[in-house]
Amino acid sequence: MSPTGSRVRDAAIELFAERGFHGTGIRDLAERAGLSSATLYHYMGTKEDLLVSIMTTSLGRLLTAGERLTADGDPLARITALVELHVLTHAVRRLETRVVDDEMRSLSPDHRATVVALRDRYEHLWQDAIDTGCATGAFHVRAPRVARLALLEMCGGIARWYTPDGPIPLEQLALRYAEMALGVLGAAGPPPELAVDSVRRTMALVDEIWLPD
């Protein structure tokens, strides 16, 4: 993406997160990006095209990271890695993930179907880990689908309050969230010793996949 294209995308993410998709006008985007309205259209197409690009790019990267983290490992390791991934991305890319999570309702039906398909593929990684854990006795939860939704909501919520200068380092927050997730799932046996090294590996993967920005 060109530097100007990146400026347009960044401006859109900021404004959509602050004001919502429908509360953001073309003039607002042009002003935030430092462009004329006519020049803006060259880099974005329609406003919805820009929203779709933001959402599909973000979800595509999240899916890529999730698939790599869950390619091997038992259900407990897989769900721990997914929780760490979701917490880290929602903390370090707060505005982008808020746009993805909040603006699905703003998409037209055809575009919504494309974005939902990507989201569903990502959430399937969570559901497969939970279902496998229930089948093998690693997890004990009566409503696996509800558990998945609850965990995603819990982890995604960090985008609304996390600040880098808060009292708890992000690595520790990710570990605490992973511990809570295992509690929600009724993980069998004593709580595992979750190490900060796993969070750092996940963060390195996030940095690698989001590097194009």
Side-chain angles (χ1 to χ4, degrees):
M1 183 180 293
S2 69
T4 303
S6 294
R7 274 166 48 205
V8 171
R9 183 177 183 275
D10 290 344
I13 289 171
E14 291 172 3
L15 287 168
F16 293 164
E18 292 169 9
R19 307 179 187 180
F21 176 76
H22 292 300
T24 300
I26 295 299
R27 288 185 180 179
D28 300 322
L29 282 168
E31 182 178 346
R32 184 68 63 95
L35 302 170
S36 68
S37 296
T39 302
L40 182 68
Y41 280 111
H42 174 72
Y43 288 97
M44 63 171 268
T46 68
K47 191 173 71 165
E48 186 177 7
D49 289 338
L50 185 54
L51 176 62
V52 171
S53 175
I54 291 167
M55 297 176 88
T56 55
T57 299
S58 181
L59 284 168
R61 290 170 174 172
L62 198 59
L63 176 62
T64 297
E67 288 176 337
R68 286 174 60 175
L69 287 168
T70 60
D72 300 301
D74 60 28
L76 190 149
R78 286 155 57 194
I79 207 67
T80 298
L82 288 168
V83 168
E84 292 171 354
L85 170 66
H86 213 70
V87 167
L88 292 172
T89 53
H90 280 69
V92 301
R93 308 192 72 86
R94 299 187 304 279
L95 299 184
E96 177 185 316
T97 52
R98 279 169 54 189
V99 171
V100 174
D101 291 344
D102 292 348
E103 294 299 334
M104 196 76 70
R105 62 183 181 275
S106 299
L107 297 173
S108 59
D110 287 346
H111 283 145
R112 188 175 190 278
T114 300
V115 175
V116 167
L118 272 175
R119 184 199 65 188
D120 288 351
R121 287 175 59 193
Y122 172 67
E123 292 192 6
H124 176 73
L125 299 176
W126 289 69
Q127 196 65 59
D128 185 66
I130 294 170
D131 290 344
T132 302
C134 291
T136 59
F139 301 145
H140 297 86
V141 60
R142 292 183 179 179
R145 181 177 179 276
V146 174
R148 182 198 85 228
L149 294 171
L151 291 179
L152 286 164
E153 188 71 18
M154 179 182 80
C155 297
I158 198 170
R160 306 199 177 280
W161 60 264
Y162 172 76
T163 57
D165 57 353
I168 304 176
L170 180 55
E171 292 173 345
Q172 291 298 321
L173 275 175
L175 288 178
R176 301 294 80 79
Y177 268 72
E179 290 173 349
M180 288 188 290
L182 296 178
V184 169
L185 294 172
E193 288 292 333
L194 301 179
V196 74
D197 286 349
S198 68
V199 180
R200 290 173 180 165
R201 286 193 295 271
T202 302
M203 191 70 244
L205 178 61
V206 169
D207 289 341
E208 174 192 337
I209 290 175
W210 267 261
L211 185 62
D213 281 358

